[in-house]
Amino acid sequence: MATEGQVITCKAAVAWEANKPLVIEDVQVAPPQAGEVRVKILFTALCHTDAYTWSGKDPEGLFPCILGHEAAGIVESVGEGVTEVQPGDHVIPCYQAECRECKFCKSGKTNLCGKVRAATGVGVMMSDRKSRFSINGKPIYHFMGTSTFSQYTVVHDVSVAKISPQAPLDKVCLLGCGVPTGLGAVWNTAKVEAGSIVAVFGLGTVGLAVAEGAKAAGASRIIGIDIDSKKFDVAKNFGVTEFVNPKEYDKPIQQVIVDLTDGGVDYSFECIGNVSVMRAALECCHKGWGTSVIVGVAASGQEISTRPFQLVTGRVWKGTAFGGFKSRSQVPWLVDKYMNKEIKVDEYITHSLTLAEINEAFDLMHEGGCLRCVLSMHA
């Protein structure tokens, strides 16, 4: 493309400081260096993780920065040594890298990757420990190795998945975070079997994706738990078979679930990030075999607790990141499943706005009637 090798000036939503409105700025985006890819972001969705860092509660949060990590776009140019993508390829940036070379990638036991984490965790690129974003010479930090609230971004080549050029980018951008996290928690982390009884705590995008994954796995009962009863009608469309609102009961929610299920569920999923709910999710599991998966991200410094006897008597407590999916290998597979109508994506999108309306989009997200809001970056 004509911009190859040049600095691109484009619009981006900059978080100058915690909890202050994002500001649309003209940002300079440097060309990609060795092992890097510059991507024209066409669509990005909003996720609660963006809001968490923006709130100032994230110990890794750095300001000023460009947030955003659930997106899709087209490769504009590549740096030296990049072979797996080329200009014009349709891609999804992946905050969970996959280098296929490190101890984690080679273990066969995890989807975590250690190659660029030391850089992405501190808002810079690996090759020179510097940012590719600046405003009038002042560096702006990267976020999660993706920074998709910019019309152009630079990512590591191990953090970008090449997808089918036929896939609609305004839809499949959701496959960069929330939907795979929920589906994978069921399919990869818990490995839910047909006939299982499942409890889902929190019916936002991730919780609904858990329900969808559980339905696909053949779960016999999928119990949705949320304090907002308005979410229940929507949840039915994603496979939830029955609903419990903890506010309607005097006794602890774990006891309510145990009573409803003849001793507890086979699998539970916490999709909120609340440590007291994490305890309830474990303790509503059936003695002897129940497994609870922590999907939600709790605030920094928070700790989980339960009586050890809960684990001694056979319950299992585990966690998941990006649903256990290996990003570069499996995101293209998820896109293909969507194209074959085997997984939902469109149904999670409740609002569509533009980059200029990003602050309103975050307001919508916090109001509860919004699952995913997709921003058109160049409208």
Side-chain angles (χ1 to χ4, degrees), residues 292-313:
S292 185
V293 180
I294 295 174
V295 189
V297 177
S300 167
Q302 302 222 318
E303 298 182 349
I304 50 171
S305 61
T306 191
R307 290 176 20 256
F309 197 64
Q310 291 282 332
L311 303 181
V312 170
T313 51

Side-chain angles (χ1 to χ4, degrees), residues 133-204:
F133 297 113
S134 61
I135 296 179
N136 300 325
K138 178 182 171 60
I140 308 291
Y141 287 110
H142 294 249
F143 169 71
M144 289 179 74
T146 51
S147 290
T148 62
F149 293 166
S150 175
Q151 291 176 325
Y152 288 84
T153 189
V154 177
V155 299
H156 299 98
D157 63 350
V158 295
S159 303
V160 64
K162 179 181 174 180
I163 63 166
S164 164
Q166 276 76 50
L169 298 180
D170 60 330
K171 305 292 193 288
V172 296
C173 57
L174 267 62
L175 297 176
C177 179
V179 173
T181 297
L183 295 174
V186 176
W187 297 343
N188 303 324
T189 308
K191 296 184 170 66
V192 170
E193 310 95 348
S196 301
I197 301 175
V198 172
V200 186
F201 290 79
L203 297 175

Side-chain angles (χ1 to χ4, degrees), residues 263-265 282-290 309-310 312-315:
V265 300
L282 175 78
E283 294 178 359
C284 80
C285 285
H286 201 288
K287 184 176 180 178
W289 64 77
F309 197 64
Q310 291 282 332
V312 170
T313 51
R315 294 170 192 84

